[in-house]
């Protein structure tokens, strides 16, 4: 092939008829888009802008999942970036890398459905941790899980609610009471989720509370949309009942279930 046939001179395409010029342009555009000029047509990858520190009330969880627990404090469900899921499924969970954290994780981040929590932590790492790891501050399993534990203790729901006289009880609360207790202490709005009453029911059950932070781990308001951020492609053995949770209704009384008394 004559090398000069496809040489380019500004304002001129040597040796090409008009139809040939159009074909040349078309081929060049395709090659540029697919191979040689990827940045010209690439869409920027969505980066997360906030983390959602999610705690669950064990008694509510077990009422949905038919499990039993005597835990009387809020436990971690996860630390979730607001963009991306399962960003690197080849980055396998390795419990040996967080061995020093395991005693604290077993207490504050337990799998309420099994005696071992390893599968639960593995799920959270693959689905959420590998996306959080796009930030240098969370770019290892140890950084991710230790930060979640740190935030859980720093933004302690148990003491905030208790100090505002909101404790597990057979009495009902208003959603305003729960929300105000959290907002007045932390200075930001949480996202509070409930199990809503079935047909004929008159109360909603407090189930999950989200506190949000930015990329510098500073508190910010959580989104109030009732649309769930995460799809429910979660192994049933882990947290299948979470599909029953949604943003609490201000017009419905809130039940904060106590730990059942031992007979």
């Amino acid at each position: 092939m004559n090398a000069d046939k496809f040489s380019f001179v500004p304002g001129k395409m040597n040796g090409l008829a008009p139809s040939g010029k159009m074909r040349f342009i078309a081929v060049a555009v395709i090659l540029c888009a697919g191979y040689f000029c990827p940045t010209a047509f690439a869409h920027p990858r969505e980066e997360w802008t906030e983390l959602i520190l999610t705690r669950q009330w064990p008694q509510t969880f077990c009422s949905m999942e038919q499990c039993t627990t005597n835990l009387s404090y809020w436990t971690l469900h996860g630390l979730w970036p607001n963009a991306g899921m399962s960003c690197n499924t080849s980055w396998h969970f390795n419990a040996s890398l967080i061995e020093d954290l395991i005693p604290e994780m077993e207490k504050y981040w337990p799998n309420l459905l099994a005696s071992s929590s390893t599968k639960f932590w593995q799920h959270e790492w693959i689905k959420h941790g590998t996306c959080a790891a796009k930030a240098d501050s969370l770019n290892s399993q140890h950084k991710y899980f230790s930060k979640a534990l740190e935030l859980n203790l720093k933004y302690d729901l148990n003491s905030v609610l208790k100090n505002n006289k909101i404790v597990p009880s057979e009495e009902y609360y208003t959603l305003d009471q729960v929300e105000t207790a959290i907002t007045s202490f932390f200075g930001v709005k949480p996202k509070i989720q409930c199990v809503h009453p079935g047909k004929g029911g008159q109360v909603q059950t407090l189930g999950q509370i989200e506190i949000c932070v930015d990329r510098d781990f500073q508190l910010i308001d959580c989104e109030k949309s009732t649309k769930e951020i995460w799809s429910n492609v979660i192994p049933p053995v882990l947290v299948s009942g979470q599909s029953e949770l949604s943003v609490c209704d201000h017009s419905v009384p809130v039940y904060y279930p106590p730990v059942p008394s031992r007979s």
Side-chain angles (χ1 to χ4, degrees), residues 48 50-52 54 77-89 91 109 120-135 138-141 144-145 148 208 210 229-235 238-239 242:
W48 59 267
E50 65 183 68
L51 291 168
I52 304 165
T54 307
H77 184 173
L79 182 63
W80 306 337
N82 67 333
M85 285 189 292
S86 303
C87 296
N88 187 351
T89 56
W91 195 347
W109 205 335
F120 182 29
W121 301 334
Q122 178 185 48
H123 166 78
E124 290 297 310
W125 166 251
I126 293 296
K127 187 173 183 181
H128 303 296
T130 57
C131 299
K134 291 180 179 181
L138 299 171
N139 64 0
S140 72
Q141 291 179 47
Y144 172 71
F145 286 108
Q208 189 160 272
E210 299 176 0
I229 293 176
W230 312 116
S231 64
N232 290 307
V233 286
I234 300 175
L238 297 175
V239 284
Q242 294 305 312

Side-chain angles (χ1 to χ4, degrees), residues 215-233:
R215 289 180 73 96
D216 295 320
F217 310 114
Q218 299 302 305
L219 288 170
I220 57 175
D221 289 342
C222 288
E223 296 178 3
K224 299 298 290 183
S225 170
T226 57
K227 182 179 179 181
E228 298 303 319
I229 293 176
W230 312 116
S231 64
N232 290 307
V233 286

Side-chain angles (χ1 to χ4, degrees), residues 153-181:
L153 293 177
K154 184 176 182 179
Y155 304 125
D156 180 18
L157 279 178
N158 299 285
S159 61
V160 169
L161 293 174
K162 184 177 180 180
N163 290 341
N164 283 273
K165 296 181 171 49
I166 297 175
V167 295
S169 170
E170 294 300 334
E171 302 294 325
Y172 301 149
Y173 300 94
T174 66
L175 181 57
D176 282 338
Q177 286 177 298
V178 180
E179 191 170 58
T180 300

Side-chain angles (χ1 to χ4, degrees), residues 53 55 76 108 147-156:
L53 180 68
R55 270 78 66 89
L76 271 166
Y108 296 113
K147 180 57 71 174
L149 292 169
E150 175 191 328
L151 294 175
N152 179 57
L153 293 177
K154 184 176 182 179
Y155 304 125
D156 180 18

